[in-house]
Amino acid sequence: MKNLIFSGMQPTGALHLGNYLGALKQWVDLQDEHNCIFCIVDYHAMTIDYNPKKMPERITELALDYLAAGLDPEKSIIFIQSHVPEHTELAWIFNTITPLGELERMTQFKEKSAQHRKNVNAGLFTYPILQAADILLYKADRVPVGEDQVQHVEMTRDIAKKFNKKFNKTFPEPKPILTEAARIMSPTDPTKKMSKSLGDKHYIALTDSADVIRKKIRSAVTDTSQGADSPGVKNLFAILEAFDEDAAKGFKMEHKSGSLKYSDLKDVVANTIIGHLAPFQERRRELEAEKERVAEILINGADQAQKIAQKTMQEVRKKIGVR
Ligand code: TYM
């Protein structure tokens, strides 16, 4: 059965291996079987301090990442959230049916408000409502994301249910799609998820050079005192498995029998990452010379997205009694 897939990422700088293995890699595969819409969520990226002068560049960078990874505008709709103002319109309507208590439970809000103490704004709090609007505006029923976004997708489902109950059936109840690598950890502190906000040593960027990748993986923490449950070793296995299942199987067997050398595992993990990122980095360099074409792709994508969005909004306005 064909699903309607929606997902998005924030234009907040270089993508890392977690973004790729948890989300982007599966987006590329999903495009062949399903109707897919992929968004660059710039309004979400405004909820933390940012430099407005750098925003256009960050949006373009993310578009380059999407396309270099293999998102194909012939197969999927690719666009920028702020180009389709219906997103914020629907978010307002959802604001009026979302209980504060549910927003207060959101782990990401708790983490981010602790991280950005000086800028705990209302947008950071209502962030998941805009995310629900992103998804439901297109009546998407599947959302491919990493594990940290599951709570937001569940909230989207609750909002859909609530709207349907109050104003009659309008929206599907979307579910997340997770990969085996839905939670890639920091190589330096494998008890924390890979994330840019922790600092340079805590993530492997898709644009990192071979040398940098080797260095980061070689110094990855593999605390052996916890045996097979060492989070660092588990993380290396998860990364290897996502790229090369057979290689991971072999090492896992060695690990079980106690003959695994971590330096060997690290060499193979580093080489595997480098080998898989090389074609991505090459395509990305080529696309950099075609920024005008990339801008065109995003404008076309917004046109296609807005047609669907307008239809949903017509229906929604009628149902809530404003038109
Ligand atoms: P964002 O931009 O933080 O992250 C983009 C995607 O990468 C996944 N991810 C990870 N997966 C595995 N391991 C990790 N260490 C890791 N870190 C990040 C995230 O789960 C995500 O799938 N709120 C969203 C953006 C958004 C969205 C949406 C997503 C806005 N509207 C509608 C889906 C549908 C976010 O902040 O993702």
Side-chain angles (χ1 to χ4, degrees), residues 18 22-23 26 143-151 176-179 181-183:
Q26 62 162 337
V143 188
V145 282
E147 200 181 80
D148 60 347
Q149 295 301 316
V150 168
Q151 208 184 21
I177 312 180
L178 297 180
T179 64
R183 192 173 167 81

Side-chain angles (χ1 to χ4, degrees), residues 46-49 109 116 119-126:
M46 289 181 68
T47 54
I48 53 171
D49 281 328
F109 172 69
H116 305 276
N119 183 16
V120 184
N121 58 79
L124 194 62
F125 189 58
T126 58

Side-chain angles (χ1 to χ4, degrees), residues 290-305:
E290 302 176 55
K291 285 198 179 145
E292 271 165 36
R293 191 172 73 85
V294 173
E296 235 168 71
I297 289 172
L298 295 173
I299 298 288
N300 279 338
D303 281 347
Q304 294 176 61

Side-chain angles (χ1 to χ4, degrees), residues 8-10 18-19 44 127 131 134 145-146 148-149 182 184 194:
M9 291 194 189
Q10 300 191 68
N19 301 131
H44 276 109
Y127 178 114
Q131 183 161 350
D134 295 340
V145 282
D148 60 347
Q149 295 301 316
I184 296 295
M194 184 176 282

